[in-house]
Amino acid sequence: MEWLAKKRAESHSKLDYHETRRENVETFNSILFLLKANNIKPTVIIYPTQKIYSSYFSENRLAEFYEILDEVKLQHDFQLIDMFSSSYFKEKDFSDGDHLNKIGARKMTLYLERNISW
Protein backbone atom coordinates (compact mmCIF):
# COMPACT_ATOMS: atom_id res chain seq x y z
CA MET A 1 0.00 0.00 0.00
CA GLU A 2 2.90 2.35 0.75
CA TRP A 3 4.34 1.81 -2.73
CA LEU A 4 0.97 2.54 -4.33
CA ALA A 5 0.47 5.71 -2.26
CA LYS A 6 3.89 6.98 -3.28
CA LYS A 7 3.29 6.22 -6.98
CA ARG A 8 -0.17 7.85 -6.93
CA ALA A 9 1.16 10.98 -5.23
CA GLU A 10 4.00 11.27 -7.73
CA SER A 11 1.60 10.67 -10.64
CA HIS A 12 -0.99 13.18 -9.38
CA SER A 13 1.76 15.74 -8.80
CA LYS A 14 2.63 15.68 -12.50
CA LEU A 15 -0.90 16.64 -13.58
CA ASP A 16 -0.78 20.27 -14.65
CA TYR A 17 -3.33 21.56 -17.12
CA HIS A 18 -3.21 25.37 -17.17
CA GLU A 19 -6.38 25.90 -19.22
CA THR A 20 -8.36 23.44 -17.09
CA ARG A 21 -7.09 25.14 -13.93
CA ARG A 22 -8.19 28.55 -15.25
CA GLU A 23 -11.63 27.17 -16.15
CA ASN A 24 -11.98 25.51 -12.74
CA VAL A 25 -11.11 28.74 -10.93
CA GLU A 26 -13.68 30.63 -13.01
CA THR A 27 -16.31 27.99 -12.27
CA PHE A 28 -15.43 28.00 -8.56
CA ASN A 29 -15.75 31.80 -8.43
CA SER A 30 -19.09 31.66 -10.26
CA ILE A 31 -20.46 29.08 -7.84
CA LEU A 32 -19.29 31.09 -4.83
CA PHE A 33 -20.88 34.24 -6.27
CA LEU A 34 -24.18 32.40 -6.82
CA LEU A 35 -24.13 31.00 -3.28
CA LYS A 36 -23.48 34.44 -1.80
CA ALA A 37 -26.32 35.92 -3.87
CA ASN A 38 -28.59 33.33 -2.22
CA ASN A 39 -27.24 33.90 1.31
CA ILE A 40 -25.52 30.52 1.47
CA LYS A 41 -22.11 30.31 3.12
CA PRO A 42 -20.17 27.48 1.47
CA THR A 43 -17.79 25.06 3.10
CA VAL A 44 -14.80 23.88 1.08
CA ILE A 45 -13.46 20.53 2.22
CA ILE A 46 -10.05 19.13 1.37
CA TYR A 47 -10.17 15.45 2.15
CA PRO A 48 -7.38 13.61 3.96
CA THR A 49 -4.62 11.53 2.45
CA GLN A 50 -2.28 9.02 4.00
CA LYS A 51 0.97 10.44 5.38
CA ILE A 52 2.98 8.61 2.74
CA TYR A 53 0.83 10.14 -0.01
CA SER A 54 1.05 13.70 1.32
CA SER A 55 4.80 13.36 1.92
CA TYR A 56 5.37 12.45 -1.75
CA PHE A 57 2.92 14.96 -3.20
CA SER A 58 4.65 17.88 -4.94
CA GLU A 59 5.22 20.81 -2.59
CA ASN A 60 5.13 23.16 -5.58
CA ARG A 61 1.79 21.81 -6.80
CA LEU A 62 0.38 22.06 -3.28
CA ALA A 63 1.66 25.64 -2.92
CA GLU A 64 0.00 26.57 -6.24
CA PHE A 65 -3.27 25.06 -5.02
CA TYR A 66 -3.20 27.02 -1.75
CA GLU A 67 -2.24 30.24 -3.56
CA ILE A 68 -5.35 29.88 -5.71
CA LEU A 69 -7.49 29.21 -2.63
CA ASP A 70 -6.02 32.28 -0.91
CA GLU A 71 -6.78 34.45 -3.95
CA VAL A 72 -10.37 33.19 -4.12
CA LYS A 73 -10.74 33.66 -0.36
CA LEU A 74 -9.94 37.38 -0.81
CA GLN A 75 -13.03 37.70 -3.02
CA HIS A 76 -15.42 35.24 -1.38
CA ASP A 77 -16.25 34.13 2.12
CA PHE A 78 -16.20 30.39 2.75
CA GLN A 79 -15.27 28.01 5.50
CA LEU A 80 -12.22 25.89 4.71
CA ILE A 81 -11.78 22.49 6.33
CA ASP A 82 -8.37 21.26 5.27
CA MET A 83 -7.61 17.66 6.18
CA PHE A 84 -5.04 16.97 3.44
CA SER A 85 -2.20 16.00 5.77
CA SER A 86 -4.19 15.68 8.98
CA SER A 87 -2.88 13.39 11.71
CA TYR A 88 -6.51 12.73 12.73
CA PHE A 89 -6.66 9.90 10.19
CA LYS A 90 -4.57 6.74 10.43
CA GLU A 91 -3.52 4.19 7.82
CA LYS A 92 -6.44 1.93 8.76
CA ASP A 93 -8.85 4.71 7.63
CA PHE A 94 -7.77 4.46 3.97
CA SER A 95 -8.43 2.04 1.14
CA ASP A 96 -5.39 3.48 -0.64
CA GLY A 97 -3.16 6.56 -0.34
CA ASP A 98 -5.81 9.11 -1.20
CA HIS A 99 -9.21 7.47 -0.63
CA LEU A 100 -10.94 6.79 2.64
CA ASN A 101 -12.46 3.38 3.32
CA LYS A 102 -15.83 2.94 5.07
CA ILE A 103 -14.26 3.39 8.51
CA GLY A 104 -12.47 6.55 7.39
CA ALA A 105 -15.59 7.88 5.65
CA ARG A 106 -17.62 7.41 8.81
CA LYS A 107 -14.88 9.14 10.83
CA MET A 108 -14.79 12.02 8.31
CA THR A 109 -18.57 12.39 8.37
CA LEU A 110 -18.56 12.68 12.17
CA TYR A 111 -15.70 15.18 11.99
CA LEU A 112 -17.61 17.32 9.50
CA GLU A 113 -20.80 17.18 11.58
CA ARG A 114 -18.85 18.66 14.49
CA ASN A 115 -16.80 21.21 12.53
CA ILE A 116 -18.93 22.68 9.77
CA SER A 117 -20.20 26.12 10.77
CA TRP A 118 -23.88 25.68 10.10
Side-chain angles (χ1 to χ4, degrees):
M1 189 131 116
E2 184 175 319
W3 176 85
L4 179 60
K6 177 184 175 189
K7 290 299 175 196
R8 287 179 65 84
E10 290 172 344
S11 174
H12 291 160
S13 294
K14 292 177 186 173
L15 300 175
D16 188 21
Y17 305 104
H18 296 284
E19 184 63 21
T20 302
R21 181 184 315 127
R22 185 192 61 72
E23 290 172 0
N24 287 342
V25 171
E26 284 180 13
T27 301
F28 187 42
N29 277 306
S30 295
I31 291 168
L32 292 171
F33 178 80
L34 179 64
L35 292 172
K36 182 179 181 179
N38 287 283
N39 294 320
I40 299 169
K41 184 178 178 188
T43 300
V44 174
I45 301 165
I46 302 170
Y47 276 78
T49 59
Q50 276 187 340
K51 278 188 181 171
I52 192 73
Y53 180 95
S54 61
S55 69
Y56 280 99
F57 195 84
S58 167
E59 290 181 24
N60 290 339
R61 186 76 58 235
L62 206 53
E64 289 173 353
F65 174 76
Y66 286 112
E67 284 174 20
I68 291 168
L69 267 183
D70 289 343
E71 287 177 27
V72 172
K73 188 94 167 134
L74 292 174
Q75 300 169 32
H76 302 281
D77 184 30
F78 58 86
Q79 178 185 6
L80 177 63
I81 297 178
D82 184 359
M83 303 300 285
F84 183 76
S85 57
S86 171
S87 61
Y88 183 69
F89 292 88
K90 308 300 179 206
E91 189 172 322
K92 66 179 177 146
D93 297 321
F94 294 90
S95 60
D96 60 31
D98 58 326
H99 295 97
L100 294 168
N101 59 25
K102 287 182 181 181
I103 295 167
R106 190 172 301 115
K107 191 173 178 179
M108 184 68 177
T109 299
L110 293 172
Y111 182 88
L112 292 174
E113 285 177 353
R114 290 189 303 269
N115 290 283
I116 290 178
S117 298
W118 302 96

